[in-house]
Amino acid sequence: MLDIDLQLRRGAFERHVRIAEDARVLALTGPSGAGKTTVLNAIAGLVRPAAGRIAIDGRTLFDSTAGIDVPTPRRHVGYVFQDARLFPHRSVRANLLYGRHGRRGSDDAFQLDAVVALLGIGSLLDRRPANLSGGEAQRVAIGRALLSQPAILLFDEPLSSLDRDRREELIPYLQRVRDEIRLPMVYVSHTEDDVRRIAHAIHRLD
Ligand SMILES: Nc1ncnc2c1ncn2[C@@H]1O[C@H](COP(=O)(O)OP(=O)(O)OP(=O)(O)O)[C@@H](O)[C@H]1O
């Protein structure tokens, strides 16, 4: 499902990463500086690998030998970061709909009402991000990612800016997204506990 063979270079950082994994939900772990975020960014097309290949479900996103480098918007990647990165001056509803990039979207696989129900954010729609808890903001960020109609979801330590109670609150929603949405997911985390509770398989970058 996820087939990566990359030579990465970021300043002085250089490493080869090989991941061939059938599991639909893969955790990427490893120490700080191992290159986890760089791998996510390479999948998203935000970092250009020095060489190699990235394919997801048989769809090639990057292949240096074949001259393939699909531009980010056409990679259909939903990306959720450590912090929610919502637009502070827009309502939750407007933040969610921003993920649709202006398309009308009646044929879309992920519709606003279903995503709002899945993530339990119906009562938050008219609020501004400043009035959300960290966990609520992350649920909205996940919703925005889904409404961009992704083919894969990338999570970069989505729990790391939350306290313990907020983390416990968010994990069941991540599990719901995993089980009900059934997209491929790559989940970066330092923490054994959430990796065990969320991922089907673990790949460690040392
Ligand atoms: N824009 C950049 N320019 C130069 N070096 C970079 C750049 N971005 C990342 N690096 C280096 O690449 C290496 C891998 O960084 P990356 O953020 O992918 O690691 P990580 O495993 O995600 O770490 P963390 O767990 O701390 O987030 C690090 O040594 C980092 O300093």
Side-chain angles (χ1 to χ4, degrees):
M1 204 167 252
L2 185 63
D3 188 3
I4 289 181
D5 191 346
L6 289 179
Q7 193 60 38
L8 297 171
R9 216 171 280 150
R10 301 286 285 158
F13 170 81
E14 188 158 354
R15 73 169 297 159
H16 179 248
V17 175
R18 172 86 186 107
I19 304 173
E21 188 51 74
D22 277 333
R24 183 171 59 80
V25 181
L26 177 68
L28 214 50
T29 66
S32 184
K36 303 181 296 297
T37 299
T38 303
V39 170
L40 289 191
N41 285 339
I43 295 172
L46 302 174
V47 158
R48 194 166 200 279
R53 180 169 178 277
I54 302 173
I56 293 163
D57 290 341
R59 189 166 73 101
T60 302
L61 301 181
F62 180 80
D63 188 333
S64 55
T65 310
I68 297 171
D69 187 3
V70 176
T72 296
R74 287 206 272 116
R75 291 193 182 199
H76 303 296
V77 162
Y79 206 151
V80 178
F81 304 94
Q82 287 180 17
D83 50 333
R85 303 194 190 180
L86 302 174
F87 293 113
H89 58 290
R90 292 175 189 247
S91 67
V92 164
R93 184 194 308 275
N95 269 282
L96 288 168
L97 292 174
Y98 187 84
R100 292 204 327 206
H101 304 302
R103 292 173 301 108
R104 289 186 61 88
S106 49
D107 299 336
D108 288 345
F110 305 114
Q111 296 285 339
L112 181 67
D113 291 352
V115 166
V116 163
L118 177 76
L119 294 163
I121 50 180
S123 62
L124 310 178
L125 291 176
D126 295 322
R127 289 205 211 158
R128 294 287 169 114
N131 302 322
L132 302 177
S133 73
E136 288 169 341
Q138 280 301 52
R139 280 190 269 152
V140 175
I142 296 167
R144 180 176 60 178
L146 289 174
L147 287 165
S148 74
Q149 312 301 322
I152 181 169
L153 284 173
L154 306 179
F155 292 89
D156 193 357
E157 308 208 39
L159 305 176
S160 65
S161 65
L162 305 179
D163 63 31
R164 195 170 161 279
D165 288 350
R166 298 285 93 77
R167 276 204 292 274
E168 283 305 317
E169 204 176 273
L170 189 59
I171 284 175
Y173 288 102
L174 288 168
Q175 291 169 330
R176 280 181 84 173
V177 169
R178 175 194 66 195
D179 296 339
E180 294 184 32
I181 297 294
R182 307 198 64 78
L183 284 175
M185 289 168 50
V186 183
Y187 183 92
V188 165
S189 174
H190 280 113
T191 325
E192 282 283 314
D193 178 58
D194 57 311
V195 162
R196 233 179 344 91
R197 289 162 73 185
I198 289 163
H200 298 140
I202 300 174
H203 183 95
R204 186 175 166 82
L205 293 178
D206 286 308

